[in-house]
Amino acid sequence: MNSASRISRLAAALAGAAVLAASLSAQARELSVSTVLSDAFPWGQAAEKWAELVEERTGGELTLRVYPNSQLVAGDQTREFSAMRSGLIDMAVGSTINWSPQVPELNLFSLPFFMPDESAVDAVTGGTAGEMIFEAIESRGVVPLAWGENGFRQLSNSRGPISEPGDLSGLKIRVVGSPLFQDTFTALGADPTQMSWTDAQPALTTGAVDGQENPLSVFDVARIDQVGQEYLTLWNYMNDPLIFAVNQRVWESLSEEQREILREAAIEAGEWEIAMTREQESERLADIQERGVQVTELTEEQHRAFVNATQSVHDKWTPRIGPELVEAARQAIEER
């Protein structure tokens, strides 16, 4: 074989290898998934479950890389939706609270004492109101795929038991960056202090804030009792559903088969995480009590006092959320 033939064959082989590499590169695609909490929490586990199912069902054609602790938005969880909408983040398993500044309809879930129990949450997310919320999200450049759950949020503090609105008077309570939370705790006589979760634990440790509100799973895993939170009130004042979602341009770039796999995997991961979160609730409460935390459970009369004290918040926020959406949710709750 002369040198010209060898060079020609080598060039052909290199060209073939380049085509193969390009083909494999085009087939295998990694997408980023943002979460606020790591896989030490059910929230992060939901994202990891989604990634596991997608990789398995696409044979590695799609890989979801989970970035926990809001690291893709420099710790500012309220920027997550905007970052996903703009394409800085491909996907997210996010909180209705954190996305509510950009999607006002999501404030529905933050209306104080609106949803009495888990069946009420399911009736809302699984019915007309849930469809209306998904439409609102999609109209803003993000495609929602499935529901998850962070759970009912409870109140803790370092000062003493809280069983009536007056007990909150003057207490500095860490809240997320939603004006509705500011209004709720102001109506209860507290001093709401907005800060990210990244900053919350140091603030609780130093006493810069007296208390915080979060689901039991967060209180338990983060060991919030170790930063002075010795008093816990079970008041179920709001529920925080999670939403699995993807940037619209990313969604449109996927094949029909890939979209179906992504959606079905999200639904399955969400159902798995919701069941797990609810099953673990009583065990988590028992563990928290064993660590010496004083737990207050409200009587019906005490609960009613908190409901009455926050009625002004409903009056102010219903027009912002959308009266039709609030009414659809209320009807679903009544008919559950």
Side-chain angles (χ1 to χ4, degrees):
M1 183 184 297
N2 59 37
S3 59
S5 294
R6 284 197 297 271
I7 292 172
S8 176
R9 289 194 177 189
L10 178 59
L14 290 172
V19 170
L20 177 61
S23 174
L24 290 173
S25 176
Q27 290 174 6
R29 184 177 179 186
E30 181 178 283
L31 300 172
S32 61
V33 181
S34 174
T35 63
V36 169
L37 297 177
S38 73
D39 61 4
F41 302 82
W43 187 341
Q45 291 164 19
E48 293 290 351
K49 182 72 169 178
W50 190 20
E52 175 189 315
L53 292 173
V54 169
E55 183 167 11
E56 175 187 299
R57 293 173 186 178
T58 63
E61 188 177 299
L62 282 182
T63 301
L64 308 189
R65 183 174 179 185
V66 180
Y67 293 85
N69 303 316
S70 305
Q71 59 184 284
L72 296 180
V73 286
D76 185 354
Q77 57 215 57
T78 60
R79 288 176 49 211
E80 185 177 67
F81 187 86
S82 296
M84 180 167 46
R85 179 171 55 189
S86 69
L88 294 175
I89 294 172
D90 295 322
M91 299 189 288
V93 179
S95 158
T96 57
I97 299 169
N98 294 332
W99 294 0
S100 64
Q102 292 80 39
V103 187
E105 292 85 350
L106 292 175
N107 285 296
L108 173 75
F109 298 100
S110 299
L111 284 174
F113 307 101
F114 183 60
M115 299 191 189
D117 51 36
E118 291 165 349
S119 66
V121 177
D122 293 342
V124 171
T125 58
T128 301
E131 293 172 1
M132 293 169 71
I133 288 169
F134 270 23
E135 288 170 5
I137 293 171
E138 191 156 5
S139 72
R140 291 169 173 87
V142 169
V143 181
L145 304 178
W147 296 96
E149 186 167 274
N150 200 22
F152 278 101
R153 298 175 78 91
Q154 316 300 355
L155 177 67
S156 72
N157 82 102
S158 59
R159 296 293 188 88
I162 293 174
S163 59
E164 59 183 47
D167 294 332
L168 273 161
S169 181
L171 290 187
K172 290 184 178 180
I173 304 295
R174 175 266 172 179
V175 296
V176 295
S178 166
L180 196 158
F181 281 70
Q182 299 274 347
D183 289 345
T184 296
F185 281 91
T186 297
L188 292 170
D191 179 9
T193 305
Q194 187 275 321
M195 62 180 63
S196 69
W197 180 242
T198 305
D199 297 329
Q201 286 178 284
L204 291 166
T205 302
T206 62
V209 293
D210 301 309
Q212 61 84 52
E213 49 77 52
N214 255 309
L216 288 183
S217 61
V218 175
F219 188 101
D220 182 31
V221 177
R223 297 302 297 268
I224 297 179
D225 50 292
Q226 294 185 343
V227 290
Q229 299 296 285
E230 300 173 8
Y231 303 94
L232 177 67
T233 298
L234 302 180
W235 65 343
N236 283 16
Y237 87 116
M238 63 151 293
N239 190 282
D240 181 21
L242 302 177
I243 298 174
F244 294 70
V246 56
N247 168 275
Q248 193 165 46
R249 291 186 296 278
V250 170
W251 179 253
E252 291 170 353
S253 73
L254 300 172
S255 68
E256 287 295 332
E257 182 182 6
Q258 289 172 331
R259 291 182 196 176
E260 185 65 21
I261 289 173
L262 203 61
R263 187 189 301 276
E264 289 302 318
I267 292 171
E268 186 173 326
E271 291 174 345
W272 171 83
E273 187 265 344
I274 290 170
M276 175 181 65
T277 298
R278 293 178 181 180
E279 288 169 3
Q280 292 176 346
E281 195 83 344
S282 59
E283 184 178 338
R284 289 192 187 282
L285 179 59
D287 289 344
I288 290 168
Q289 288 177 301
E290 285 180 10
R291 298 202 296 264
V293 175
Q294 183 175 327
V295 176
T296 299
E297 295 191 51
L298 301 180
T299 65
E300 188 173 336
E301 184 179 352
Q302 290 170 332
H303 181 268
R304 174 53 54 186
F306 282 101
V307 172
N308 292 339
T310 53
Q311 184 56 50
S312 62
V313 181
H314 287 249
D315 297 339
K316 178 179 179 178
W317 279 88
T318 293
R320 300 184 185 187
I321 295 166
E324 290 184 8
L325 174 57
V326 174
E327 182 54 35
R330 181 175 286 113
Q331 187 172 341
I333 292 169
E334 290 175 356
E335 296 175 355
R336 74 190 188 283

